[in-house]
Amino acid sequence: MDIQWFPGHMAKTRRLITEALGSVDVVVELLDARIPASSKNPIIDGILKGKRKVVAFNKHDLADEAMSARWAGRFRVEGAECLFVNSLSARGVDPLTDGLRKVRRELEAKATAKGRIYRPVRAMVVGVPNVGKSSLINRISGKAAAATGDKPGVTKGKQWLRIAEGIELLDMPGILWPKFEDRRTGYMLAMTGAVKDDVCDLTEVAAALAETLAVRYPGALASRYGVEEAGGAERRASLGEVFEVRPESGSFPLGHETVRRIGLRRGCLARGGGVDPLRSAMALLDDFRGGRLGRLTLEVPGDG
């Protein structure tokens, strides 16, 4: 399965971002801390054209803390300002707000030196679908200012919101890019829910997740479900092997067997007996997305 998803409104979002750049002072790029590489849209930097940017790792409470620190170090080496946030709680919100106030003071000082009154600082929030942009804005503002949901595509158009004295945020719809060149990227985005479930074969996505966790966090599934990951000594040694196309055996055969074992353990049975593949897949994906498997980061800096 080759996962691709670029509906028409995303092309419109790209145009909206480009048009709005002239009226914003700083861009907050929200990444999913569990998949920092795959959730970093490669067209964003090209659109921003040197505009000041802050990288915020959202859903930090669901990610491996030590791995998040490594990722932040990687981005800082490249010159990015980095913050850790959780849009469903208050963690990381104050540093982000303080950072925007600092930008406002800097710009206000420059305007005053020229005899002008500076307007509120304007920040634009961008990121892939379902990364938590609207939830973050609501957390900062302390009210339900932006529409939210646990599925991608909730925000349909741009929204200017005053979230504090002297600070305005522009909430943009989530945006992907026209083609995922790396097969792994599409799967990672599907695992976290950035790609709509109904455009994927979720049994394949769950099998890919099972094999990824066997490489990244061996034993995590055994701790949660009381089952062993399939493969034993034949388990994939790297993510490169996990996402290698193997037409002779099908994609993720070890993962499918692990998901079957999870379904059997959880009682995800079809009519007439046997394990229901879709129910088993959703059991694993829901637990991962909800953080019930522990704090996990699927990507490692320098992992290709």
Side-chain angles (χ1 to χ4, degrees), residues 222-287:
S223 297
R224 174 67 178 173
Y225 302 109
V227 302
E228 291 297 325
E229 297 98 336
E234 298 177 2
R235 191 176 299 150
R236 313 300 175 196
S238 69
L239 285 198
E241 290 186 30
V242 169
F243 292 95
E244 188 178 79
V245 178
R246 299 178 294 275
E248 69 284 353
S249 60
S251 297
F252 320 114
L254 301 180
H256 279 290
E257 172 57 22
T258 299
V259 175
R260 189 194 70 79
R261 295 177 185 180
I262 292 172
L264 188 63
R265 184 78 172 184
R266 280 297 177 90
C268 300
L269 304 179
R271 287 185 179 181
V275 174
D276 185 319
L278 183 57
R279 286 181 60 198
S280 303
M282 287 309 305
L284 174 56
L285 289 170
D286 285 346
D287 280 349

Side-chain angles (χ1 to χ4, degrees), residues 14-27:
R14 183 173 180 169
R15 293 193 298 271
L16 289 175
I17 292 174
T18 303
E19 293 167 0
L21 271 182
S23 60
V24 301
D25 306 299
V26 60
V27 174

Side-chain angles (χ1 to χ4, degrees), residues 28 30 54 56 83 85 92-101 136 140:
V28 179
L30 221 55
V54 174
L83 293 170
V85 298
V93 170
D94 288 344
L96 178 56
T97 306
D98 291 343
L100 294 176
R101 288 194 177 105
L136 175 64
I140 294 173

Side-chain angles (χ1 to χ4, degrees), residues 16-28 47-53 100 103 107 118-126 158-161 168-172:
L16 289 175
I17 292 174
T18 303
E19 293 167 0
L21 271 182
S23 60
V24 301
D25 306 299
V26 60
V27 174
V28 179
I47 294 174
L48 298 186
K49 299 175 182 177
K51 182 73 70 172
R52 184 170 181 173
K53 183 177 72 173
L100 294 176
V103 173
L107 296 175
Y118 192 73
R119 56 170 172 72
V121 64
R122 290 178 172 173
M124 178 165 58
V125 184
V126 298
K158 65 179 183 179
Q159 304 179 76
W160 273 112
L161 304 164
E168 294 179 354
L169 283 186
L170 178 58
D171 181 20
M172 282 288 189

Side-chain angles (χ1 to χ4, degrees), residues 146-168:
T148 64
D150 60 0
K151 295 181 180 180
V154 173
T155 303
K156 297 298 184 182
K158 65 179 183 179
Q159 304 179 76
W160 273 112
L161 304 164
R162 177 160 292 196
I163 58 145
E165 182 63 33
I167 301 176
E168 294 179 354

Side-chain angles (χ1 to χ4, degrees), residues 102-120:
K102 179 182 177 182
V103 173
R104 187 185 191 285
R105 288 194 298 270
E106 292 173 0
L107 296 175
E108 188 174 28
K110 292 179 181 179
T112 301
K114 296 180 181 180
R116 299 201 306 262
I117 297 176
Y118 192 73
R119 56 170 172 72

